[in-house]
């Protein structure tokens, strides 16, 4: 072995990294500061503001202008320098300087452009009425503006509406699933809207279980004061002020078909300092640093070394040597990505 083909010596001799790429832990890599995953694709925001996406691309969700079935490696999204990125079901979005929002991919329900295009191949501005500071992108596109107001496209009824209508305000964070959105208010309360067929609202109302798109926002009952929320495909979890985790809807605790119509505290967890969604499951990190996860385990996405679904939290053993370096998680249907403190992704 020579320096040219020794991965531990990337960046040296004949194994130099390219422009904008550094040798990090023996691997040529860009410095990633944010990662976002959804159904079958992932997007990353790099320290220079560029956005790179990979994975499923049949609807143009990777954003490089192509419609290849899949992009196995990161492709740069042209024309944008982002401050935030959000991957959705079949489209993706980014916030750029000035709080403007640009999206690309499937345009079903006119979630991107107010025209008949089925696919928007390159980043196109979505004109929200103010500066966006955060996005949740799934069945549609919802933006939290700097004044605390939330606007969504399309409206909760599946119908696009321009100009936008203010859905709710006094919001500090938002997170969506596959048809619903929940927000965290500045007083620690939670409100949800959209589809409610799996108990996503947590209000105990099963009479409307089959009804699509209730505007809301509806507040879950019996939920203690919340400091962080995470939306799964058809359920939600929240981290409360006492470092506990409460979940409602279909959150893959117990049997995968089980529904919690009102919030319930997750048993068996030590005090939790972080909470993440991986769409059909959730990940928590305890105050002791231990990582635990539950839910659908297609492709081994839980990181426990198996592909067996888990209805209760189990240790993410695949990250045992890296748990103290974890900054963030993002997950889709059957994959999970972890962002480390050295700005690399696993």
């Amino acid at each position: 072995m020579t320096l040219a083909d020794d991965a531990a010596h990337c960046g040296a001799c004949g194994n130099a990294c390219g422009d904008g790429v550094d040798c990090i832990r023996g691997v040529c890599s860009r410095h990633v500061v944010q990662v976002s995953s959804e159904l079958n694709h992932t997007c990353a925001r790099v320290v220079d503001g560029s956005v790179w996406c990979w994975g499923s691309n049949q609807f143009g969700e990777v954003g490089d202008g192509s419609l290849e079935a899949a992009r196995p490696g990161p492709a740069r999204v042209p024309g944008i320098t982002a401050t935030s990125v959000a991957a959705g079901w079949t489209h993706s979005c980014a916030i750029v300087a000035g709080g403007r929002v640009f999206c690309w991919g499937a345009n079903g329900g006119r979630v991107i452009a107010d025209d008949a295009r089925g696919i928007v191949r390159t980043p196109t501005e979505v004109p929200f009425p103010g500066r966006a500071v955060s996005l949740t992108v799934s069945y549609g596109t919802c933006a939290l503006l700097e004044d605390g107001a939330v606007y969504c496209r399309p409206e909760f009824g599946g119908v696009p509406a321009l100009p936008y209508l203010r859905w709710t305000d006094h919001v500090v964070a938002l997170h969506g699933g596959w048809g619903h959105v929940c927000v965290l208010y500045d007083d620690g309360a939670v409100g949800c809207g959209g589809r409610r067929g799996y108990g996503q609202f947590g209000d105990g109302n099963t009479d409307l279980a089959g009804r699509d798109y209730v505007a809301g926002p509806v507040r879950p009952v019996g939920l203690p004061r919340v400091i962080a929320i995470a939306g799964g495909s058809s359920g939600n979890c929240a981290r409360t002020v006492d470092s506990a985790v409460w979940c409602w809807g279909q959150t893959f605790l117990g049997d995968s078909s089980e529904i919690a119509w009102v919030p319930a505290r997750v048993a068996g967890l030590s005090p939790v300092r972080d909470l993440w969604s991986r769409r059909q499951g959730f990940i928590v990190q305890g105050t002791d640093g231990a990582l635990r996860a539950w839910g659908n385990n297609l492709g081994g996405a839980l990181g426990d070394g198996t592909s067996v679904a888990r209805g209760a939290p189990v240790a993410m053993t695949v990250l045992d040597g890296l748990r103290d370096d974890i900054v963030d998680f993002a997950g889709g249907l059957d994959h999970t990505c972890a962002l480390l403190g050295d700005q690399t992704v696993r």
Side-chain angles (χ1 to χ4, degrees), residues 2-17 23 28:
T2 66
L3 292 180
D5 56 19
D6 181 0
H9 291 86
C10 71
C13 298
N15 200 20
C17 299
C23 184
C28 290

Side-chain angles (χ1 to χ4, degrees), residues 40-42 53-58 61-62 68-75:
N40 287 318
H41 76 286
T42 298
C53 301
W54 62 94
S56 178
N57 189 42
Q58 60 181 320
E61 52 264 55
V62 167
E68 295 180 17
R71 280 291 200 178

Side-chain angles (χ1 to χ4, degrees), residues 19-302:
D19 291 341
V21 181
D22 292 324
C23 184
I24 308 173
R25 293 194 183 189
V27 177
C28 290
S29 177
R30 300 180 187 276
H31 289 270
V32 176
V33 292
Q34 184 192 3
V35 62
S36 179
S37 297
E38 240 299 350
L39 181 64
N40 287 318
H41 76 286
T42 298
C43 292
R45 179 170 58 92
V46 177
V47 68
D48 64 2
S50 61
V51 173
W52 299 72
C53 301
W54 62 94
S56 178
N57 189 42
Q58 60 181 320
F59 299 104
E61 52 264 55
V62 167
D64 64 348
S66 73
L67 291 179
E68 295 180 17
R71 280 291 200 178
R76 183 169 184 172
V77 180
I80 59 172
T81 300
T83 59
S84 181
V85 65
W89 177 280
T90 51
H91 73 293
S92 306
C93 299
I95 301 175
V96 304
R100 298 163 65 197
V101 176
F102 285 77
C103 301
W104 56 93
N107 192 39
R110 299 185 178 183
V111 296
I112 301 174
D114 195 30
D115 57 44
R117 279 180 292 171
I119 294 175
V120 177
R121 292 193 179 212
T122 55
T124 297
E125 185 167 7
V126 181
F128 287 98
R131 296 167 59 100
V133 296
S134 181
L135 298 171
T136 186
V137 181
S138 189
Y139 91 103
T141 305
C142 292
L144 169 60
L145 307 188
E146 62 181 356
D147 64 355
V150 172
Y151 293 78
C152 293
R153 178 187 182 94
E155 305 296 338
F156 293 115
V159 179
L162 292 174
Y164 291 105
L165 300 178
R166 182 185 295 246
W167 179 51
T168 190
D169 51 21
H170 296 288
V171 172
V172 295
L174 77 170
H175 212 299
W178 294 349
H180 75 282
V181 176
C182 292
V183 296
L184 175 61
Y185 292 105
D186 54 14
D187 63 357
V190 171
C192 302
R195 288 182 176 171
R196 67 182 307 160
Y198 292 90
Q200 296 97 315
F201 292 5
D203 61 346
N205 187 342
T206 63
D207 293 338
L208 298 176
R211 179 178 171 182
D212 276 354
Y213 299 113
V214 176
V218 176
R219 300 202 174 193
V221 299
L223 187 63
R225 186 180 177 190
V226 170
I227 55 177
I229 56 174
S233 57
S234 49
N236 313 283
C237 290
R239 180 165 60 95
T240 55
V241 290
D242 59 352
S243 300
V245 173
W246 290 63
C247 299
W248 63 98
Q250 186 185 42
T251 57
F252 300 91
L253 286 161
D255 186 276
S256 62
S257 63
E258 191 172 323
I259 296 174
W261 294 103
V262 295
R265 183 169 179 164
V266 179
L269 288 179
S270 58
V272 168
R273 71 183 184 199
D274 281 304
L275 165 70
W276 299 273
S277 163
R278 44 164 300 269
R279 284 312 181 197
Q280 291 200 327
F282 294 83
I283 301 169
V284 296
Q285 186 166 34
T287 54
D288 59 358
L291 292 165
R292 300 177 70 81
W294 66 89
N296 190 326
N297 202 12
L298 294 173
L302 280 183

Side-chain angles (χ1 to χ4, degrees), residues 291-320:
L291 292 165
R292 300 177 70 81
W294 66 89
N296 190 326
N297 202 12
L298 294 173
L302 280 183
D304 67 341
T306 79
S307 57
V308 178
R310 304 291 187 178
V314 296
M316 297 185 72
T317 54
V318 72
L319 291 172
D320 279 349

